[in-house]
Amino acid sequence: MSTMEGSHQPQLPSYLTESLIKRSLEHDLQRPVAIDRFTAGPATAAGDNYLSDVFWIRVEYDGGTSEKRLLAKCMPDVGDRGATLDVLDAFRKESESFQQMLPTFSRLVSADGREQFGAKCYYATTEPVRTIVFEDLKVLGFRMCDRTQGGLDFEHMALVMRKIAKFHAGSMLYAKQSPENERHLAERYSYGFHNPCEKPEEARVLQAFQKGLEKFIAVAAGWAELKPAVLRQLEVLRPSFRQRIADCVQPRQAGARYEVLNHGDLWSNNMMFRYENETAVREVMFVDYQLSSYGSPGLDLVYTLYNCPRKDVRQDRLEDLLQLYHQTLRETLKRVHYEPLPTLDDVKEEYRRNEFFGLVCAIVLMPIMLMERTHDLDLSFDAFFKEEHGERVRDVQYNGAVYRAAVVPILHDLLARGYMQ
């Protein structure tokens, strides 16, 4: 009989059970397991996850002879969150990615399989709720950066760009193997942020994005450093904003120079880093593949390079980061004689083609990602869609000093280059 360890054990949801942990271990080990005891608790802070509840688990089994640290990502079907998960097909895509796609891509880009794109997946189930159980990357020395500190420096971003390039290369090699493989990616990962079966005016995610635009216009009207032309152009975009977003996030694009499986949600909280001597960053691992889509690599490149870097890195080192991505992509593909190899011009064209998505990031996503920590606001997904409470959350997000400093130069640049038309 197993036991819960310690009197300080936090209250856990009913679906985080011994049975789930036992099934996870047995699925991985392919043999019966006897659970002795386990402890568990929340693994992320408020505002770090919206569509999932994430818990760490420490489990002892087989008479105390073995121990593992696990991470359970649970997606209960409650409120607006459950409906959104269904529309986005998030659980199916993520579980398939971790169980099938990521291990396959690892083998394709590295003969020894050491180039990993995510944590080892132990188990995925829909009973009693949608849950994926992983190895705990923290035990392996990985940790998140603080999303409130204004972004990642160049060393972190260089690692990220190389990793994206290898991930993209893995998907290209997989698609090249057979027409069936390419069809699998195109059909199983046909959309990310927006399901085209939904009308843009009815999509909950796009409704939230629209409210973000309206909040930005209201708050930024008082910013002396923001050019008035920016606000005028955003007012022009306001009536068609949801439709423009729906159009710009469709991954299959006419004339795309090359196509890849996009991660789809590469911001700093979906990356974990491993360090040497606490300071020198050495490795990055991606998490959260719920929004992956097959199509133009520009979607990942724009999303990452707008949302993740520190302001100075975004302004001064963008060209360097695109070159790093291209160099790694070519080297990875060239090792296995892939043809034709994308050129740097191909990479830049896909980035440029998708830069309206950069405007969406700046107006809608960056305020969420750079939101200052607060202890008196409910930052759950459902709370965000409650009208009055959602407005309170947006007030904090859009009035953040870090966000304001980061977004103004981005909008001036987009205006100057014609991306607000």
Side-chain angles (χ1 to χ4, degrees):
M1 171 67 75
S2 67
T3 61
M4 296 294 288
E5 191 178 88
S7 59
H8 62 284
Q9 179 70 27
Q11 183 66 40
L12 297 175
S14 60
Y15 49 78
L16 196 64
T17 63
E18 178 185 324
S19 172
L20 172 67
I21 297 168
K22 178 179 171 67
R23 280 181 282 145
S24 300
L25 292 176
E26 290 181 342
H27 184 267
D28 178 61
L29 298 172
Q30 293 295 294
R31 64 172 177 81
V33 166
I35 305 295
D36 300 307
R37 60 187 62 83
F38 72 94
T39 52
T44 55
D48 288 347
N49 280 84
Y50 284 92
L51 286 175
S52 311
D53 298 326
V54 185
F55 301 92
W56 60 263
I57 301 168
R58 186 174 73 86
V59 56
E60 296 178 39
Y61 59 100
D62 290 352
T65 60
S66 300
E67 178 183 312
K68 281 193 183 293
R69 287 288 298 268
L70 307 173
L71 208 70
K73 183 173 184 176
C74 306
M75 307 169 215
D77 188 8
V78 293
D80 289 303
R81 185 163 58 165
T84 301
L85 287 165
D86 287 338
V87 167
L88 297 178
D89 199 15
F91 172 78
R92 197 274 308 160
K93 285 202 288 189
E94 183 159 43
S95 58
E96 181 173 311
S97 294
F98 274 98
Q99 292 180 308
Q100 299 175 33
M101 295 293 98
L102 303 191
T104 299
F105 295 174
S106 293
R107 290 190 295 270
L108 288 171
V109 303
S110 56
D112 57 5
R114 294 183 65 182
E115 187 65 56
Q116 289 184 277
F117 298 111
K120 177 182 177 180
C121 179
Y122 283 90
Y123 188 55
T125 182
T126 57
E127 298 295 336
V129 301
R130 290 168 285 205
T131 301
I132 308 177
V133 180
F134 307 96
E135 67 181 334
D136 189 344
L137 289 174
K138 288 184 179 178
V139 176
L140 302 180
F142 289 87
R143 66 176 188 262
M144 287 182 182
C145 291
D146 186 345
R147 65 176 172 80
T148 67
Q149 296 305 302
L152 303 177
D153 63 21
F154 182 79
E155 287 69 28
H156 285 78
M157 284 303 305
L159 273 179
V160 169
M161 299 309 290
R162 292 189 182 104
K163 195 74 163 187
I164 296 173
K166 291 177 182 178
F167 176 68
H168 285 179
S171 69
M172 294 168 71
L173 293 170
Y174 175 79
K176 190 82 165 181
Q177 284 183 329
S178 70
E180 291 77 16
N181 284 1
E182 183 173 20
R183 187 162 53 249
H184 176 89
L185 292 176
E187 292 176 355
R188 303 286 281 179
Y189 297 90
S190 60
Y191 59 87
F193 267 104
H194 173 62
N195 184 334
C197 292
E198 275 196 306
K199 296 179 180 178
E201 61 272 17
E202 296 174 358
R204 294 304 301 273
V205 171
L206 299 190
Q207 288 173 7
F209 284 13
Q210 180 76 31
K211 288 181 179 179
L213 171 66
E214 292 166 359
K215 174 58 73 172
F216 180 87
I217 290 172
V219 171
W223 294 357
E225 72 276 24
L226 185 67
K227 293 179 179 178
V230 169
L231 291 175
R232 288 198 298 270
Q233 287 304 115
L234 292 179
E235 285 285 4
V236 172
L237 282 171
R238 191 202 294 246
S240 61
F241 193 56
R242 274 176 283 196
Q243 184 63 57
R244 291 288 300 274
I245 298 171
D247 293 341
C248 82
V249 298
Q250 290 309 304
R252 306 303 295 273
Q253 299 171 11
R257 303 282 183 92
Y258 64 106
E259 292 186 308
V260 304
L261 183 63
N262 288 280
H263 175 284
D265 195 13
L266 281 171
W267 67 295
S268 56
N269 265 36
N270 286 336
M271 306 167 181
M272 297 185 73
F273 297 91
R274 187 177 61 80
Y275 297 82
E276 187 177 291
N277 301 324
E278 292 299 312
T279 55
V281 63
R282 288 290 179 258
E283 189 176 357
V284 62
M285 198 79 80
F286 297 156
V287 303
D288 200 341
Y289 285 80
Q290 295 179 333
L291 298 177
S292 297
S293 64
Y294 182 67
S296 169
L299 291 171
D300 262 356
L301 295 175
V302 168
Y303 190 95
T304 306
L305 289 168
Y306 270 80
N307 289 320
C308 294
R310 258 181 3 206
K311 181 175 72 169
D312 61 307
V313 176
R314 187 185 300 107
Q315 289 177 327
D316 302 333
R317 305 297 299 273
L318 176 64
E319 186 80 16
D320 295 334
L321 291 171
L322 286 173
Q323 288 179 358
L324 268 175
Y325 166 85
H326 173 250
Q327 178 185 350
T328 306
L329 183 72
R330 281 182 62 92
E331 289 173 353
T332 307
L333 294 172
K334 196 172 183 180
R335 277 199 298 270
V336 290
H337 311 293
Y338 181 99
E339 293 289 346
L341 295 173
T343 66
L344 182 58
D345 281 344
D346 293 337
V347 171
K348 290 181 177 178
E349 170 61 19
E350 293 309 306
Y351 181 82
R352 182 205 61 75
R353 176 205 303 280
N354 287 277
E355 272 201 271
F356 184 82
F357 193 27
L359 175 64
V360 177
C361 293
I363 295 295
V364 174
L365 298 173
M366 282 180 61
I368 299 172
M369 297 168 182
L370 296 177
M371 182 181 181
E372 297 162 7
R373 301 250 179 229
T374 179
H375 301 290
D376 61 348
L377 283 176
D378 180 358
L379 297 178
S380 66
F381 183 84
D382 287 317
F384 189 69
F385 283 95
K386 294 175 182 175
E387 191 65 36
E388 184 177 338
H389 187 83
E391 277 301 299
R392 288 181 59 207
V393 173
R394 279 186 282 272
D395 280 338
V396 174
Q397 291 170 341
Y398 283 86
N399 285 288
V402 174
Y403 170 64
R404 179 170 173 173
V407 76
V408 170
I410 290 175
L411 295 179
H412 287 168
D413 176 63
L414 287 170
L415 176 71
R417 292 189 294 120
Y419 284 99
M420 291 191 185
Q421 305 303 320

